[in-house]
């Protein structure tokens, strides 16, 4: 199982770009990287998923270097409502077992006014 | 938005009771999951299902059981609740394809056993 390591917490100010990095040194060839956002008293919500280089959608970008041992979630111009816990998940999309999917401990992002 | 529902949202109940946590999804997803999450802690997979009549245990040992008789329904049962079962239980589903497809989560059931 590819174990992930994230910072426990980060603070930012409204309007700034926030980058959250996840380390996954033993990522396997078939593993994809997925990020989720979780607000208190709610289930996680999918943000973005990628395999290599860069992926961008309407809410975030995901940067993955060539060695794929880390990934960075980039949130442009954060607002107070982006205060949440962000989870990095590494797993094999082609796996026949959900036991290959492991959530890390997450990063608590606090956006300050 | 994903349509996955969990009931009840909150449950406070005494030790020894039998409890069933309900989870339903209307997306026709074949894969469903149960996670356990303590406050401020990471999610731990306790059960998952490939489809109807197919269930497996996750990484975290759990005294709960699950069933998957219908595609849309994946209930979790505790035969005799204990204080150690106090936690938040999150249900999720994902679409056709491998387990790595993005999961859609319900808002959870916060369970307190007295």
């Amino acid at each position: 199982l590819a174990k992930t390591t994230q910072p426990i917490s980060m603070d930012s100010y409204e309007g700034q770009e926030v980058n959250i990095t996840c380390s996954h040194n033993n990522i396997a060839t078939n593993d994809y990287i997925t990020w989720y956002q979780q607000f208190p008293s709610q289930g996680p919500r999918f943000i973005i998923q990628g395999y290599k280089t860069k992926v961008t959608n309407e809410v975030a970008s995901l940067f993955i270097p060539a060695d794929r041992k880390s990934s960075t979630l980039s949130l442009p111009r954060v607002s107070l409502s982006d205060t949440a816990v962000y989870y990095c998940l590494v797993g094999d999309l082609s796996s026949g077992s959900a036991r290959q999917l492991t959530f890390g401990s997450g990063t608590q992002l606090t956006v300050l006014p | 938005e994903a349509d996955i529902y969990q009931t009840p949202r909150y449950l406070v109940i005494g030790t020894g009771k039998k409890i069933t946590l309900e989870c339903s999804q209307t997306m026709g997803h074949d894969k469903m999951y149960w996670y356990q999450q303590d406050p401020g802690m990471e999610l731990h997979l306790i059960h998952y299902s490939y489809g109807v009549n197919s269930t497996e245990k996750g990484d975290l040992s759990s005294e709960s059981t699950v069933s998957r008789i219908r595609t849309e329904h994946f209930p979790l049962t505790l035969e005799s609740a204990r204080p150690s079962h106090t936690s938040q239980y999150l249900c999720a589903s994902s679409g056709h394809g491998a387990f790595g497809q993005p999961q859609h989560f319900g808002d959870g059931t916060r369970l307190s056993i007295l």
Side-chain angles (χ1 to χ4, degrees):
Chain A
L1 296 176
K3 182 175 171 56
T4 60
T5 303
Q6 302 175 232
I8 294 173
S9 63
M10 294 180 67
D11 290 343
S12 181
Y13 291 95
E14 280 192 290
Q16 289 188 332
E17 178 185 74
V18 171
N19 296 310
I20 305 174
T21 297
C22 178
S23 297
H24 27 81
N25 290 321
N26 59 339
I27 188 169
T29 302
N30 292 330
D31 284 345
Y32 275 68
I33 300 151
T34 311
W35 285 82
Y36 290 84
Q37 174 193 56
Q38 186 179 26
F39 297 112
S41 300
Q42 293 185 22
R45 186 172 64 181
F46 169 79
I47 302 174
I48 198 166
Q49 185 177 68
Y51 181 80
K52 63 179 180 180
T53 61
K54 177 183 175 182
V55 179
T56 298
N57 62 22
E58 63 275 12
V59 298
S61 294
L62 178 60
F63 298 92
I64 305 169
D67 65 7
R68 305 201 324 122
K69 293 184 183 299
S70 66
S71 59
T72 299
L73 174 72
S74 180
L75 304 172
R77 297 180 298 282
V78 294
S79 64
L80 296 177
S81 62
D82 291 317
T83 294
V85 178
Y86 291 82
Y87 291 97
C88 165
L89 175 65
V90 174
D92 183 353
L93 257 64
S94 63
S95 171
S97 171
R99 299 188 72 176
Q100 302 298 319
L101 303 175
T102 304
F103 278 85
S105 53
T107 298
Q108 171 66 58
L109 172 65
T110 302
V111 180
L112 306 168
Chain B
E1 280 299 313
D3 294 319
I4 181 162
Y5 307 100
Q6 292 186 243
T7 57
R9 286 295 314 275
Y10 304 92
L11 179 62
V12 181
I13 200 165
T15 298
K17 301 291 186 181
K18 179 178 179 179
I19 300 167
T20 296
L21 307 184
E22 302 289 349
C23 176
S24 295
Q25 50 97 4
T26 60
M27 297 167 284
H29 285 169
D30 56 347
K31 295 175 181 61
M32 296 190 74
Y33 316 76
W34 276 103
Y35 291 87
Q36 186 173 341
Q37 184 181 35
D38 292 327
M41 305 298 286
E42 59 195 271
L43 287 79
H44 292 283
L45 182 68
I46 52 175
H47 297 284
Y48 62 99
S49 169
Y50 296 87
V52 172
N53 294 324
S54 172
T55 62
E56 299 284 346
K57 289 187 178 295
D59 289 324
L60 182 68
S61 176
S62 174
E63 295 169 341
S64 59
T65 59
V66 293
S67 63
R68 189 88 183 276
I69 299 173
R70 303 198 317 264
T71 297
E72 63 272 22
H73 197 212
F74 191 40
L76 180 145
T77 299
L78 283 163
E79 290 293 333
S80 180
R82 294 207 296 270
S84 61
H85 296 142
T86 294
S87 188
Q88 174 165 254
Y89 294 84
L90 289 159
C91 180
S93 70
S94 62
H96 296 292
F99 278 106
Q101 298 298 326
Q103 296 177 43
H104 302 268
F105 282 83
D107 284 336
T109 294
R110 189 168 296 279
L111 179 63
S112 296
I113 309 299
L114 306 177

